Amino acid sequence: MRIVIAGGHGQIALRLERLLAARGDEVAGIIRKAEQADDLREAGAEPVVLDLESASVDEVAERLRGADAAVFAAGAGPGSGVARKDTVDKAAAVLFADAAVKAGVRRFVIVSSMGADPRHQGDEIFDVYLRAKGEADAYVRGLDALDWTVLRPGQLTDDAGTGLVRLEARTGRGPIPRDDVAAVLAELVDTSATAGLTLELISGSAPVSVAVKSVAGN
């Protein structure tokens, strides 16, 4: 498969790129800064320098053409202000989804957040973030031209992955290593039977492949 990842230099994206490249997939990661390119090459991915905050739908669609799947794993990051929650966490996700439709890429996986909700109340930065992620999810879920899956991980940690997870429509809150989020994403990209599902993810007792097959109805 050829898979294009938005936010290609993110902590989850770099892990995902390594996993996909190791299994023989062709991976491209969209990055904002050229100096990030070597990290992607080291992970086995082709770096594509493009700023999703200023690019047009046509420019992004051009990078997506010929791909079998698209993964939105970009984020404004914890140090960013309110404005970038809107331009990255929401607007860039909407742009990437529109570009996937334009490029004819049906399989689309978006990394969201547990608690994401377009009706979330509050004015703190994290409130704005959850609202922006919820609005992005709602937009993607409204696109009939995409076979979308929304993944909402719990509290992200840098602990070593265990390969054991709980993946359900509702899991309740809990931690999840970034390693295991990446492993689940790698399986989801390959499992189109999860299209149309919004899934929460925390650490659990099911091996990743079993957990994904279970929600896919296999």
Side-chain angles (χ1 to χ4, degrees), residues 38-116:
D38 284 347
D39 290 339
L40 269 75
R41 292 190 189 99
E42 194 180 315
E46 165 202 340
V48 176
V49 181
L50 185 68
D51 187 349
L52 294 177
E53 288 178 90
S54 59
S56 69
V57 170
D58 285 338
E59 286 172 321
V60 182
E62 191 54 42
R63 308 309 200 282
L64 279 165
R65 227 170 287 287
D68 298 293
V71 178
F72 185 82
S80 60
V82 166
R84 295 199 71 227
K85 304 305 181 198
D86 191 62
T87 58
V88 179
D89 293 301
K90 178 185 173 184
V94 167
L95 173 75
F96 197 59
D98 285 343
V101 172
K102 186 153 198 160
V105 181
R106 288 204 63 93
R107 187 71 182 119
F108 191 93
V109 180
I110 181 167
V111 183
S112 182
S113 173
M114 195 171 289

Side-chain angles (χ1 to χ4, degrees), residues 107-195:
R107 187 71 182 119
F108 191 93
V109 180
I110 181 167
V111 183
S112 182
S113 173
M114 195 171 289
D117 183 348
R119 295 174 303 280
H120 183 84
Q121 299 297 306
D123 299 314
E124 298 296 321
I125 285 187
F126 194 63
D127 297 323
V128 176
Y129 168 75
L130 290 177
R131 199 155 51 241
K133 294 297 280 185
E135 288 168 349
D137 294 351
Y139 185 84
V140 168
R141 291 188 295 199
L143 295 173
D144 293 336
L146 295 181
D147 294 330
W148 54 264
T149 303
V150 176
L151 183 66
R152 292 179 168 171
Q155 179 196 349
L156 298 171
T157 75
D158 288 325
D159 297 340
T162 64
L164 298 173
V165 300
R166 184 175 171 196
L167 180 69
E168 297 167 19
R170 291 277 182 275
T171 61
R173 297 193 174 275
I176 179 78
R178 288 179 172 87
D179 287 349
D180 290 333
V181 177
V184 168
L185 286 168
E187 287 280 336
L188 288 175
V189 160
D190 224 10
T191 312
S192 56
T194 59

